[in-house]
């Protein structure tokens, strides 16, 4: 059976939002365990510079690039620089994302627009900049778009985030079909990543609300931070994702409860039931 190192080893990986959390975990695993050259893209210059130094100290090859995925021209420059300086991209990971807590009607317009521009538009910009170059190369390549267990569920007080992850999942499913329709399914592979509870700083840095029920927004943040304490290590999640990708799976999931959420969503839709409030711990990455 072909393993992740056979498929990805020695290639170039571009990871947005690589400065922390899942992005950093994927970068560490790709560079240190698979021997990939990793392009670390993030708006946090200090974070990706520190990660690059860490990886290089361990003998891996990495490049840090400051890139705001909200800016299509910046993402285009990232693609052009990567291909020119490092060669064809074997793996593109559209990972950059932010969270938002609070009732939808309390959510500041600026927060909504920022979240959409990063979580949804950022994926589109990544696909539009990199995919034509990947399609033009004869070698096999992969595109991973980061959805979430939130992409197959509904949850109160996180509507903006949940909406964005449903959107990313839909983009990825349609893109998978389009690549096949265009005759490229044999060498360009599109996969959806649906993490469950994986440790990151997304909850600490999440937007809140300035007016309205601020207590509800912060209460949801506290609940998510409580779940983070038992979350999976990003490096372990990365290993699982790469192994599933190598096995040819489309939905890459970190934990079995994501499968349960997918089944529950299918059952809700099949029986046309209204969504109910989640019971017990609800973990979204």
């Amino acid at each position: 059976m072909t393993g992740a190192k056979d498929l990805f080893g020695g290639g170039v990986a571009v990871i947005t939002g690589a400065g922390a959390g899942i992005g950093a975990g994927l970068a560490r695993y790709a560079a240190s365990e698979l021997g990939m050259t990793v392009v670390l893209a993030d708006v946090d210059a200090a974070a990706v510079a520190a990660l690059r130094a860490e990886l290089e100290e361990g003998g891996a090859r990495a490049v840090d690039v400051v890139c705001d995925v909200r800016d299509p021209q910046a993402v285009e420059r990232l693609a052009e620089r990567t291909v020119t300086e490092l060669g064809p991209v074997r793996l593109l990971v559209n990972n950059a994302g932010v969270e938002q807590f609070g009732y939808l009607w309390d959510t500041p317009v600026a927060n909504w627009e920022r979240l959409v521009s990063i979580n949804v538009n950022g994926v589109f910009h990544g696909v539009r900049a990199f995919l034509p170059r990947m399609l033009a190369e004869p070698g096999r390549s992969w595109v991973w778009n980061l959805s979430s267990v939130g992409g197959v569920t509904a949850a109160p007080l996180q509507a903006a985030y949940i909406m964005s992850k449903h959107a990313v999942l839909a983009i990825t499913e349609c893109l998978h079909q389009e690549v096949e329709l265009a005759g490229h399914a044999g060498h360009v592979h599109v996969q959806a990543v649906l993490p469950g509870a994986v440790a990151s700083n997304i909850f600490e840095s999440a937007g809140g609300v300035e007016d309205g029920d601020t207590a509800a927004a912060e209460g949801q943040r506290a609940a998510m931070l409580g779940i983070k304490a038992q979350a999976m290590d990003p490096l372990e999640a990365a290993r699982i994702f790469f192994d599933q990708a190598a096995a040819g799976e489309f939905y890459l999931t970190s934990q079995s409860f994501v499968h349960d959420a997918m089944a529950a969503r299918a059952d809700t839709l099949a029986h046309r039931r209204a969504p109910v409030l989640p019971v017990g711990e609800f973990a979204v990455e």
Side-chain angles (χ1 to χ4, degrees):
M1 180 178 175
T2 303
K5 194 160 189 177
D6 299 312
L7 293 178
F8 297 101
V12 175
V14 178
I15 303 172
T16 67
I22 291 176
L26 289 169
R28 289 187 173 98
Y29 192 86
S32 302
E33 300 298 326
L34 302 181
M36 301 189 78
T37 297
V38 181
V39 178
L40 311 167
D42 204 297
V43 293
D44 189 337
V48 286
L51 181 54
R52 174 191 53 75
E54 172 196 319
L55 294 174
E56 288 182 339
E57 187 175 349
R61 188 180 183 197
V63 178
D64 57 305
V65 180
V66 177
C67 180
D68 187 339
V69 298
R70 295 176 292 183
D71 180 353
Q73 294 180 336
V75 182
E76 176 65 27
R77 289 193 296 271
L78 174 66
E80 182 61 28
R81 175 183 172 186
T82 300
V83 172
T84 300
E85 297 182 7
L86 301 176
V89 174
R90 187 165 302 170
L91 173 64
L92 168 67
V93 184
N94 290 308
N95 166 74
V98 294
E99 249 278 23
Q100 172 66 38
F101 296 119
Y103 286 112
L104 187 59
W105 55 85
D106 289 337
T107 301
V109 171
N111 289 21
W112 171 275
E113 292 179 344
R114 174 175 179 267
L115 182 143
V116 171
S117 67
I118 295 172
N119 293 16
V120 181
N121 295 353
V123 172
F124 169 65
H125 296 155
V127 168
R128 198 167 189 279
F130 282 89
L131 195 60
R133 292 172 166 90
M134 298 166 85
L135 294 173
E137 290 291 334
R140 297 176 73 186
S141 58
W142 284 258
V143 176
W144 294 2
N145 294 333
L146 267 287
S147 180
S148 165
V149 63
V152 293
T153 58
L157 299 164
Q158 292 174 264
Y161 178 79
I162 297 293
M163 172 280 302
S164 74
K165 294 306 178 180
H166 277 257
V168 170
L169 184 57
I171 288 170
T172 310
E173 290 171 337
C174 293
L175 183 63
H176 173 80
Q177 293 177 326
E178 291 183 0
V179 167
E180 182 176 357
L181 180 65
H184 296 284
H187 80 283
V188 177
H189 309 276
V190 177
Q191 294 164 314
V193 184
L194 287 82
V198 178
S200 76
N201 64 358
I202 194 170
F203 301 135
E204 291 92 334
S205 60
V209 300
E210 300 159 0
D211 301 304
D213 197 337
T214 58
E218 293 311 309
Q220 187 70 2
R221 186 196 306 273
M224 293 298 102
L225 288 172
I227 290 170
K228 176 184 173 180
Q230 289 133 21
M232 177 181 286
D233 182 271
L235 201 61
E236 174 62 13
R239 181 191 65 77
I240 292 170
F241 295 146
F242 273 105
D243 286 348
Q244 291 174 349
E249 298 185 28
F250 176 78
Y251 299 101
L252 312 183
T253 61
S254 58
Q255 288 125 319
S256 61
F257 77 79
V258 180
H259 309 159
D260 297 337
M262 295 169 81
R265 176 70 174 176
D267 185 69
T268 295
L269 293 173
H271 291 89
R272 296 182 295 161
R273 289 193 297 266
V276 297
L277 288 170
V279 177
E281 290 187 341
F282 175 76
V284 294
E285 163 48 35

